[in-house]
Amino acid sequence: MKNKTLRAALCAALLIATALASASFALDFSAEFVEKEGETTRKGKIYMTAEKSRFELDGSGEIEVTRADKKVMWLVFPKKKVYVEEEFFGALPGDATNGDPKDTGDLSREDLGYEIVDTFRLRKYLVTVKYNNGETQDQYYEWHRNGFPIPVKMQSLNGEYSYEYKKIKFTPQDPNLFAEPKGYRKIGIEELDELETVKQNKTKKK
């Protein structure tokens, strides 16, 4: 997969799926998110309902819709009126075929008490995930808010990376937000790469 934009969207989908893996019931909410990586800050919106999510990154001109019920993800380009379809093997809350999340026994949380984040009193945890029978591990922080069953914020130990939800609203979501684009042309990865190359060449000539 050569297209950087698509890779970024796929990573975002996996991040969302991972964050929501602890929820065994359907969630209906919308929120703003802030993702920080080093000196780079990305902002956008997320819409969530059972087995479906919609991810909009500010200024990107792209929309990513994940449909766990259909096992697909659509990367939509409104300005070009095209979209790319990719397989999605993750699981989102509300998928009855998955049942309760399985406890793999390799994840643990250490309670670090409460902190005030974005005016909310949140409980902070140090999360440790072990791999290869404990030979390797990852660690990061999570902050949890009462009434919201997934982490409101996640951050690496060194603070170089973080992902946070803000202005969370619990409300039923419009089904059209998660529908396959109508009036758009479905294209493959290769054609998307070609469109991006043409765009870059036009930019260089200006």
Side-chain angles (χ1 to χ4, degrees), residues 7-17 35 55 64 66 73 163:
R7 282 204 303 268
L10 285 169
C11 290
L14 291 174
L15 177 62
I16 293 168
E35 182 182 17
F55 173 88
E64 176 254 299
T66 303
M73 187 192 80
Y163 191 95

Side-chain angles (χ1 to χ4, degrees), residues 114-180:
Y114 286 95
E115 282 189 4
I116 302 297
V117 178
D118 195 27
T119 72
F120 286 95
R121 188 169 180 260
L122 306 180
R123 187 177 287 276
K124 183 179 180 180
Y125 295 91
L126 172 63
V127 181
T128 301
V129 185
K130 296 183 179 181
Y131 307 96
N132 303 319
N133 296 319
E135 293 182 6
T136 58
Q137 70 177 31
D138 287 333
Q139 288 186 305
Y140 56 93
Y141 296 115
E142 285 183 349
W143 285 260
H144 289 253
R145 169 181 160 183
N146 289 339
F148 195 61
I150 61 176
V152 171
K153 180 179 179 179
M154 295 182 290
Q155 180 181 293
S156 60
L157 293 186
N158 60 11
E160 284 295 306
Y161 178 84
S162 67
Y163 191 95
E164 182 178 358
Y165 294 113
K166 295 175 176 288
K167 298 183 180 180
I168 300 169
K169 297 180 181 179
F170 296 96
T171 182
Q173 301 300 304
D174 183 352
N176 291 322
L177 289 171
F178 315 101
E180 185 170 1

Side-chain angles (χ1 to χ4, degrees), residues 61-65 74-78 82-84 181 184:
E62 299 140 20
I63 299 169
E64 176 254 299
V65 177
W74 298 308
L75 185 61
V76 186
F77 297 82
V82 298
Y83 71 102
V84 175
Y184 283 57

